[in-house]
Amino acid sequence: VCSDSLYIFIDTRGSLICREENDRVLINDTWNIDSIFRTGIDYKIGRGDISLFYFYERITDNWASLNPEPENISAIQLLVAFNT
């Protein structure tokens, strides 16, 4: 049986990307930075896990909407998982 434990975490990543103009989308800048930031708490309870965290992502190539402008996505997420 595992003891209860609380973790505070920060996770960041970034990418420097060079893109050329494309027939589908005109990209304003050829050099872009995509980034992800996540922070929160993770509580281990015996055979379970409860996480609450904030998530932010900056995407410079949103091909889904063919938008050449960077998109910023943020969310607050709650994850509850238990092993039986």
Side-chain angles (χ1 to χ4, degrees), residues 13-84:
R13 286 171 272 171
S15 302
L16 180 61
I17 301 168
C18 180
R19 296 187 179 91
E20 297 179 6
E21 291 186 6
N22 182 304
D23 290 341
R24 295 176 60 201
V25 176
L26 283 177
I27 299 172
N28 295 335
D29 299 319
T30 55
W31 286 97
N32 293 288
I33 297 175
D34 288 357
S35 59
I36 297 172
F37 173 78
R38 187 172 70 131
T39 186
I41 57 173
D42 189 21
Y43 186 48
K44 307 282 186 193
I45 307 170
R47 296 165 76 184
D49 189 14
I50 299 173
S51 298
L52 176 65
F53 60 91
Y54 170 76
F55 175 87
Y56 171 83
E57 183 173 7
R58 181 178 189 270
I59 304 171
T60 58
D61 66 344
N62 187 357
W63 297 106
S65 66
L66 302 178
N67 184 0
E69 297 300 318
E71 296 286 337
N72 298 306
I73 302 167
S74 62
I76 296 175
Q77 297 181 334
L78 175 65
L79 171 67
V80 179
F82 290 97
N83 296 325
T84 57

